[in-house]
Amino acid sequence: MRDTKRTEKIAFALLLAATIVVVTPVLIIFVLILFRGLPAITSEFIFAMPREGMRAGGIFPAIVGTIYLTFGTALCSIPLGILAAVYLNEYAQKNWLTRVIELAIINLAGVPSIVYGLFGLSLFVAFLGFGSSLIAGSLTLAIMTLPVIITSTREALSAVPKSFREVSFSLGASRWQTVRYVVLPNAIPGILTGTILGMSRAAGETAPILFTVAAFYLPRLPQSMYDQAMVLPYHIYVLSTQVPNVSVKIQYGTVLVLVLMVFVLNIVASYIRAKFRKKKTW
Amino acid sequence: MQNSKLKIIETNKLNLFYGAFHALIDVNLQVKPRMITGLIGPSGCGKSTLLRVFNRMNDLIDGVKISGSVKFENKEILSDAIDLITLRKRIGMVFQRPNPFPLTIFENVAYGLRIHGEGSRLVLDEAVQKSLTAVLLWDELKDKLSLSALELSLEQQQRLCIARLLAVTPDLLLMDEPCSSLDPLATMRIEELMNELKKEYTIIIVTHNMQQAARVSQECGFMLLGELVEFGDTKQIFTAPRDKRTDDYITGRYG
């Protein structure tokens, strides 16, 4: 009896310790960024162009660039990813070809992001001649996030009870009608959650945009999708390694803005998930 | 009963394989219209599989092979030429567990009509009222049509599922253990409903509950290990079975 109690205590202590070890660095990082970055956040910092070689002024073009890029990525990858997931989950027969495709998708999710960057450079920037531009960057990030979107969409589709599909078919609905009116509406919350998380990851990536869109210093807003743009993650990299004598305040302020943008996306995703989980009763 | 000589379903040497498993063996069955035909037998005997042949639901499962002939109103339904959408409109199915969509009561009943292209609110309203009336839910629910179907009791849900089916005006209703998740009182009321429905529809019911088959069906088949062992008048099956295996089953020696 005493032994069981002791092991129970030890197990509890170990598990708690592991959790604390995991959570502490995250908290420290966040608090550090918040306290050092907050003083930098002024309306000028958010809404003005950078000045004096990025040592003063604001980061407005980088914020706008990040928003454009994330939207561009969403526009390319969400429809494609959802359609591919619907095909794989609802239409494709289980044979060696679909297994190969599934394996490829899983492996794509594990490819280092710099490889996507180089791929985007050779395909979109050079071969298709988009140059370093928003469209090249969006397409590169889209390809990088596709595996995430396809996988999370498939999970959301699989979570829709089989009986819904059976009833729909038994009433004479075609496969597409069943997908359109029964499966997709019930999978939307899961799909949204997964895709938003994919987007938040894309918004924070540096390597894939390095050669495909990011501008070192461009104190104006992009005019078209064929323009280069400043983007927050790359801007942070530049501020911390390429430009001498940048005040720590500006560096942390920039980081804080990016973290908050990603944070907002994550909160939206969690909110959607929580809201629909309550309504779900099957 | 001038139609009683006709048959609405006729199978001939029907064989079905799930991969290597021989699930239906040489099934020859004739189902007459406007009555309730029961299929009984122990779990895994193939009765649900047989039911799912009639509306081709087995098509959804990979690795199913079917041979032989199944005719619905003298038309072969196993051929590739058959239009599954029309077939399934005419042959509806009620499942074991009530499975309404997570939609409103109205939208559940309207679903079938909507997917078949009916957009007029007037027609939908009328069909919903008619279908809910047929399953005796209209008076209870006429003011709650915009309520989620998931808030209904299990019995109401199963009635709703039947109403959803009736809305697409089928001729044949396949019921796959429709009362297995209901309590005895609800079961009794669903059986009363079936007795009402048989005036206008043909019903084939699969049940593991022998008493239920005895109560509601006029003709009855006993299945065992994929074979249709015996088929005939329900009274005769339950009082004077010709096959020893049927006798063993209905007297409770196994199953």
Side-chain angles (χ1 to χ4, degrees), chain B residues 161-192:
Chain B
C161 291
I162 298 173
R164 175 174 63 188
L165 186 57
L166 299 184
V168 295
T169 58
D171 300 296
L172 172 60
L173 309 181
L174 307 173
M175 300 195 170
D176 190 356
E177 304 197 18
C179 302
S180 61
S181 51
L182 303 181
D183 63 58
L185 260 170
T187 299
M188 191 186 83
R189 287 194 292 262
I190 294 282
E191 285 174 9
E192 281 166 10

Side-chain angles (χ1 to χ4, degrees), chain A:
Chain A
M1 271 309 277
R2 277 194 60 186
D3 257 350
T4 342
K5 270 192 183 160
R6 237 183 69 194
T7 31
E8 180 66 32
K9 268 186 188 159
I10 293 171
F12 176 75
L14 273 177
L15 295 172
L16 183 67
T19 311
I20 289 172
V21 167
V22 171
V23 173
T24 311
V26 179
L27 277 179
I28 291 176
I29 291 172
F30 193 73
V31 169
L32 206 67
I33 293 173
L34 199 65
F35 276 87
R36 298 216 173 151
L38 213 50
I41 308 286
T42 58
S43 68
E44 193 209 356
F45 186 68
I46 305 283
F47 294 111
M49 296 294 161
R51 279 180 285 118
E52 297 166 33
M54 298 180 267
R55 289 184 195 87
I59 55 166
F60 190 52
I63 295 177
V64 171
T66 299
I67 292 174
Y68 281 176
L69 194 64
T70 312
F71 266 101
T73 305
L75 222 59
C76 303
S77 65
I78 291 176
L80 200 60
I82 292 179
L83 291 178
V86 167
Y87 172 75
L88 286 172
N89 218 56
E90 307 293 324
Y91 283 81
Q93 297 199 319
K94 305 273 169 287
N95 56 25
W96 65 270
L97 185 65
T98 44
R99 267 197 291 278
V100 168
I101 292 176
E102 276 162 21
L103 208 65
I105 290 171
I106 293 169
N107 281 315
L108 274 179
V111 172
S113 53
I114 185 69
V115 176
Y116 284 106
L118 292 169
F119 174 75
L121 173 68
S122 59
L123 179 63
F124 302 123
V125 177
F127 183 72
L128 293 177
F130 294 148
S132 182
S133 61
L134 278 172
I135 183 170
S138 299
L139 287 169
T140 308
L141 283 175
I143 290 181
M144 190 195 78
T145 47
L146 267 178
V148 180
I149 292 177
I150 292 175
T151 311
S152 59
T153 304
R154 289 196 61 180
E155 271 165 28
L157 294 173
S158 305
V160 176
K162 230 180 116 194
S163 66
F164 289 6
R165 296 180 180 81
E166 279 190 332
V167 178
S168 182
F169 287 130
S170 81
L171 289 167
S174 66
R175 201 168 276 272
W176 172 246
Q177 285 173 325
T178 302
V179 168
R180 166 74 184 75
Y181 296 110
V182 177
V183 181
L184 274 182
N186 288 298
I188 285 275
I191 295 175
L192 276 179
T193 311
T195 48
I196 293 174
L197 290 180
M199 288 309 113
S200 81
R201 205 193 127 198
E205 278 288 345
T206 317
I209 58 172
L210 202 56
F211 316 116
T212 53
V213 52
F216 184 79
Y217 179 56
L218 195 70
R220 58 181 169 81
L221 298 183
Q223 299 303 308
S224 83
M225 61 180 187
Y226 296 106
D227 276 2
Q228 267 194 303
M230 289 181 83
V231 199
L232 279 171
Y234 182 67
H235 189 58
I236 292 167
Y237 166 72
V238 164
L239 286 181
S240 47
T241 62
Q242 311 289 306
V243 187
N245 304 325
V246 181
S247 78
V248 172
K249 202 173 80 169
I250 289 189
Q251 292 176 350
Y252 273 99
T254 314
V255 170
L256 180 62
V257 170
L258 177 61
V259 169
L260 285 180
M261 285 172 70
V262 172
F263 198 58
V264 166
L265 281 180
N266 282 306
I267 287 183
V268 170
S270 315
Y271 174 75
I272 293 173
R273 185 164 43 193
K275 190 178 164 203
F276 282 93
R277 186 170 290 166
K278 255 190 244 154
K279 275 172 66 180
K280 192 156 107 176
T281 41
W282 65 79

Side-chain angles (χ1 to χ4, degrees), chain B residues 63-78:
Chain B
V64 170
K65 270 201 220 84
I66 307 183
S67 66
S69 146
V70 179
K71 286 184 175 153
F72 171 59
E73 293 182 337
N74 289 321
K75 253 209 218 125
E76 180 60 47
I77 62 168
L78 292 184

Side-chain angles (χ1 to χ4, degrees), chain B residues 18-37:
Chain B
Y18 289 122
F21 176 64
H22 203 168
L24 293 176
I25 306 165
D26 283 335
V27 172
N28 299 313
L29 170 76
Q30 296 188 350
V31 175
K32 291 178 193 139
R34 303 277 159 105
M35 63 159 73
I36 301 178
T37 300

